[in-house]
Each structure stands twice: as C-alpha cells, then as structure tokens.
Amino acid sequence: MIFVGMNESKDLQSFMFIRNKITAAVLGCLLIILPLLAACGGSGSANTNADTQTKSSAVVDVSTAQAETREVPEFIESTGSLVAEEQSDIAPQVSGQVIATPVDVGAFVSQGAVIARLDDRDARLRLEQAQAGEQQAQANVRQAEAKLGLSPGEQFDPNKVPEVQAAQKNYEAALAQIRNAEAQIRNAEAQARLAEDTARRYANLLRTGDISRVSYNQAQTQAESARAQLNAVREQVNTVRAQANATRQQSEVVINTARQNNQAIATARAGLESARAATALAQKAVNDTIIRAPFAGYIGERPTAVGEYVTPASRIATLVRTNPIKVRIQLPEVNASRVRTGMSVSVKVAAYTDRQFAGRITAINPSLEANTRAVIVEAQIENPDNLLRPNMFATVRILQPGSGQAVFVPRSAVIADVNTNSSRVYIIENGTARLAVVQLGDEEGDMVRITSGLSGGETVATSNVDQLFDGAVVNIR
C-alpha cells in the first residue's frame, strides 16, 4: 500500500510542471501579438478617419431641379396574359394521305388559303361515278316526260295528254250521238202516239160505219209501224249509250294510264334528285381533300408532314388570329364595381418597354373565380404589326374617371443601384446631399414618375450624382 501512494505523488508533480510550462509559453505569445494588433488597428483607424476627413472636406458641384407635382389620370393596374382573338386546331373532314403542305410555321394566311392537300384520286373516281348516275337519272326523266308529251320541267296536266284528248273527243262524240238518238226517240214516240190515236179514232168510225175497213186497216198498220220504229230507235239509243259508256271507260283508262306515267315521271325526278345529292356529296368529298384556312391568321403549329395518313381526328395545323389580340386579366373583388365594358386600357410588355398599346374592355365575366375571388376581364388590343404575341405577360392599366397627383423628377437625377436593385436620388438641403431611396413609375419625356420616396417640391441633384454620398457638401451651380 505504501509503494502505490509514492508513485501517485510523483505523477502529480510531473503534471503540474508541464502545465506551468505551457501557460508561460501562451502568455509570452500574447505579449508579442497584442502590440502588433494594436499597431495595425491604430493605423487602420487613422486611415479611415483620414479618408472621412478628405471626403467631408471635398465640395461637389451639382446642378439641381425641383420635384414637380402634376395631374395624372387615375387607373387600376394589374397583370395578365395576352391571348389570341381566335385560335383553331384545323383538322380534315375526310381521311387520306397528305400530299402537300404549302405553308410553314409563322406564315400569314388569308381566309380560304390552302393549308394542306390530301390524295384525291379515290374521291374523284367516286365523283365521276356519281356524275354518271346523275346523267342516267336525267335520261330517265326525259323518257318519262316524253311518254306524256311533256317538255323538260313541264308540270303534268291530264287534259293535255294526246291520248286523253282523243278519248275525251270520242266520249263527247258518243254523248252527241246519245243526244241525237234521244231526240229521235222523242220524235218516234210522238209519231207512235199520233198513229195510235188515229187507229183508235178509225176504229170508232169503223163501228159507226163512217169509214171503210180499208181505211181502218191503213191506220192500224201505220200505228204498228210507228211502234216498231219507236222500238228500233230505242234499241239504237241503247246501243249508242253502251258505246258512250265504253268510250267513257276507255277515257278513264287513258287518264289512269297518263297518271301512272306521271307517277313514273315523279319517281324518275326523285331518282334524279337523289343522284344529284350523291354527286354533291362526291364533289364535297373532293373539295374536302383541300384543307383551307377558316379565317385569316398566322400558322402557330403544323405537326403534319407530307406522306402522313390523317383522319378527322388528326390536327393539320394551328391557326391563330392576333389582330386584334386580347389581354385577359384578373382583378381583385374590390375593383369589380370600377370596371365597365368600353373603358380604355393601356398595355405594356417586356419586349417593348418603350411602347404602350391601347385598347378597350370588351368582356367582363359575370361571376368571380371560386378559388381567387377575382373577376376576369378581357380587353381587345389593336395589333396591326403583330408585335404582341399570345401568352406574353402584360402589365395593364384600366383608365378611371378623374385624375390624381404624381411627383416627377428629371431622369438624370435618378441613380440605379445594381447591388440592391433599387433606385435613389439625392435631396439637396442646406448645401448638403441627403440620400433618398425611391420607386419609379412611368416616364414622360425626360421626366420620370416617383411613386414613393418623394412628396413633391424637394430639390434634387441632377449632375455629378455619381460623386455624391449621404452627407456630401455640394455647391449648386
């Protein structure tokens, strides 16, 4: 036990010796470094103070201008996207192989211009077949009309058919014979009555002996002859009536035949109309092999190439009408009551920052978007030079009635700070420049609008602004 305690005492003494050596070395290093740091710090501070004193003592010559307050129109500003006035994915109405695509992407085409052609050989053969069928149907109509003696296109009148006219004449002649025979019957009946009366009177006279039997016999013979003649006339009238009935029946048969022939004409004409419809369909199929532009515009896309087989479900090209062009914007619900159709708008796009495009509101969605609670407004912009393109991002201003105040300064007074992506001006007060960060608006000639940072009436530096700093002493020239 005594031996172990002596070893531990020696180890502790060694540890304490080493720690003291390390502490002494660190203190020595600090004594050397601290004076050097102090010397360097003093030199830097002296230089900074010297520079500050130099800058403060420098006087910058500047020219100045006053921030102007002007009347400007009131407007609602929003952003939106440009959309085509019309955009159509053009598809063929028939299936076929593409044999020509005479337009390229970006080309302007007029309404009715050819965009693509399909192989039309089959369609033309069907057209020729339909035209031959139409000619055959036309011949059938002419043949049916000729049977009734009708000229092409003449309407049917049974009284004008030659056979009907002949039958009617025969019937009329038979009726005349009947009338003549009836007159003969009446005459024969009168003669028969007269002969019978004479025979009865002679019979009375014979009984009284006033006449001879010879005279009586003659009267009786005349009465019998009159009765025989009356019967003969009656038989003749019956014969004539039978002939008249036969003639009438024959006339009706002729009329019915003519009507049947007229029905054949109607059937032939219906066949002709059907053949004409078939020809029109075949002609349309030929015309449909030529795909034309439905309206004037620019070719946006043309995914189809020569040799492809297309169907009515295929897209030949995309046609876009960009003049006029529309801009679609979303306005907050609070501005829904401040816009009306017909209001003037101005549009700016990043591609043409120095231009504004004028237009008018043409449509306002009657309902708000369910998700954003925003009202969708469309305006129409004239675009004769096709500078504006669909899907461009646009800044839109909707002009409002009345006007407001705005602050303007010369463009030369504004400094753009690329490091902070901000703009600033120097306000001159009592011979000293004071830095002011501002936000810019529209430019009007050599003046630029300040939307925030100035209230109007301030004096701003317009020259040597790159030499100024906050607190710089200036000399106004």
Side-chain angles (χ1 to χ4, degrees):
M1 295 295 295
I2 296 174
F3 178 77
V4 173
M6 291 177 63
N7 290 336
E8 289 178 353
S9 177
K10 290 180 180 181
D11 292 339
L12 180 61
Q13 291 177 358
S14 299
F15 172 75
M16 294 298 294
F17 178 77
I18 294 172
R19 188 187 68 177
N20 291 336
K21 291 289 188 180
I22 293 173
T23 300
V26 170
L27 289 175
C29 291
L30 290 175
L31 290 175
I32 296 172
I33 293 173
L34 287 176
L36 294 175
L37 292 176
C40 293
S43 175
S45 177
N47 292 336
T48 301
N49 292 334
D51 292 340
T52 303
Q53 291 176 0
T54 302
K55 288 185 178 180
S56 298
S57 61
V59 178
V60 182
D61 293 332
V62 297
S63 57
T64 61
Q66 192 173 24
E68 301 178 4
T69 301
R70 299 180 182 178
E71 293 283 338
V72 294
E74 290 286 345
F75 55 83
I76 301 173
E77 186 170 282
S78 183
T79 57
S81 296
L82 297 177
V83 294
E85 174 73 11
E86 296 286 349
Q87 180 169 330
S88 175
D89 289 335
I90 301 173
Q93 296 191 23
V94 295
S95 300
Q97 187 180 32
V98 179
I99 61 173
T101 53
V103 295
D104 294 324
V105 174
F108 179 82
V109 294
S110 303
Q111 182 177 5
V114 177
I115 294 178
R117 295 179 184 272
L118 306 183
D119 188 353
D120 62 353
R121 288 176 294 180
D122 291 344
R124 290 195 176 278
L125 289 175
R126 287 192 292 269
L127 174 60
E128 293 175 1
Q129 183 180 15
Q131 289 173 339
E134 181 181 352
Q135 293 175 357
Q136 179 63 41
Q138 183 70 43
N140 293 338
V141 171
R142 288 196 296 267
Q143 183 179 6
E145 290 173 342
K147 287 183 178 180
L148 294 180
L150 299 179
S151 58
E154 183 181 357
Q155 296 298 320
F156 171 72
D157 184 359
N159 295 324
K160 294 182 179 180
V161 177
E163 291 82 356
V164 175
Q165 291 176 347
Q168 288 178 343
K169 288 180 180 180
N170 293 335
Y171 181 61
E172 290 173 358
L175 292 178
Q177 290 178 358
I178 290 175
R179 288 190 296 270
N180 186 27
E182 289 176 346
Q184 292 177 0
I185 288 176
R186 289 191 295 271
N187 186 25
E189 288 176 345
Q191 292 179 358
R193 285 194 298 271
L194 179 60
E196 288 177 353
D197 290 340
T198 301
R200 283 193 298 272
R201 189 173 67 252
Y202 276 27
N204 292 329
L205 292 174
L206 179 64
R207 284 192 297 272
T208 60
D210 292 330
I211 61 171
S212 63
R213 181 167 289 279
V214 174
S215 298
Y216 168 74
N217 291 336
Q218 290 178 350
Q220 189 69 27
T221 301
Q222 290 178 355
E224 291 176 354
S225 176
R227 284 194 295 269
Q229 186 177 2
L230 175 61
N231 291 332
V233 171
R234 284 176 176 172
E235 290 179 359
Q236 182 180 1
V237 169
N238 291 332
T239 302
V240 171
R241 283 177 177 172
Q243 292 176 351
N245 288 333
T247 303
R248 179 177 60 80
Q249 292 176 357
Q250 182 181 3
S251 176
E252 291 177 353
V253 170
V254 172
I255 292 174
N256 290 333
T257 302
R259 287 174 177 170
Q260 290 176 358
N261 291 335
N262 180 61
Q263 186 63 35
I265 293 176
T267 302
R269 286 176 177 172
L272 177 59
E273 293 301 322
S274 177
R276 286 174 176 171
T279 301
L281 288 175
Q283 183 64 60
K284 181 179 181 297
V286 173
N287 296 339
D288 289 342
T289 60
I290 303 175
I291 296 92
R292 300 182 182 273
F295 53 83
Y298 290 88
I299 301 297
E301 294 182 52
R302 200 207 65 193
T304 304
V306 174
E308 291 187 24
Y309 186 86
V310 296
T311 67
S314 304
R315 180 163 61 102
I316 298 295
T318 299
L319 185 62
V320 180
R321 177 189 291 166
T322 58
N323 183 33
I325 197 169
K326 294 189 295 186
V327 59
R328 185 172 297 154
I329 60 177
Q330 289 187 345
L331 293 179
E333 181 179 356
V334 68
N335 290 329
S337 61
R338 299 178 60 189
V339 294
R340 298 185 306 276
T341 55
M343 280 187 167
S344 298
V345 301
S346 62
V347 176
K348 293 187 71 175
V349 294
Y352 306 100
T353 56
D354 57 340
R355 290 194 58 174
Q356 290 189 355
F357 301 88
R360 292 190 178 274
I361 294 177
T362 56
I364 302 174
N365 196 322
S367 60
L368 273 65
E369 289 289 320
N371 297 329
T372 61
R373 304 298 178 187
V375 59
I376 304 299
V377 177
E378 285 189 358
Q380 193 175 77
I381 313 298
E382 292 299 324
N383 187 31
D385 299 327
N386 197 39
L387 300 179
L388 302 177
R389 306 294 179 88
N391 300 321
M392 276 186 171
F393 183 80
T395 301
V396 184
R397 289 183 175 178
I398 303 174
L399 301 183
Q400 297 291 296
S403 60
Q405 300 287 329
V407 178
F408 287 84
V409 299
R411 188 185 305 169
S412 59
V414 180
I415 303 173
D417 190 344
V418 295
N419 295 325
T420 61
N421 194 23
S422 62
S423 299
R424 59 187 180 178
V425 298
Y426 285 101
I427 303 173
I428 307 303
E429 295 178 348
N430 302 322
T432 305
R434 297 299 179 191
L435 178 65
V437 178
V438 295
Q439 290 186 354
L440 305 182
D442 294 333
E443 295 184 3
E444 293 185 5
D446 293 334
M447 306 293 285
V448 61
R449 182 176 178 177
I450 305 299
T451 59
S452 67
L454 297 178
S455 58
E458 296 93 338
T459 300
V460 296
T462 58
S463 65
N464 294 330
V465 291
D466 55 338
Q467 301 177 21
L468 297 178
F469 55 91
D470 190 41
V473 179
V474 297
N475 177 37
I476 300 176
R477 293 184 294 182

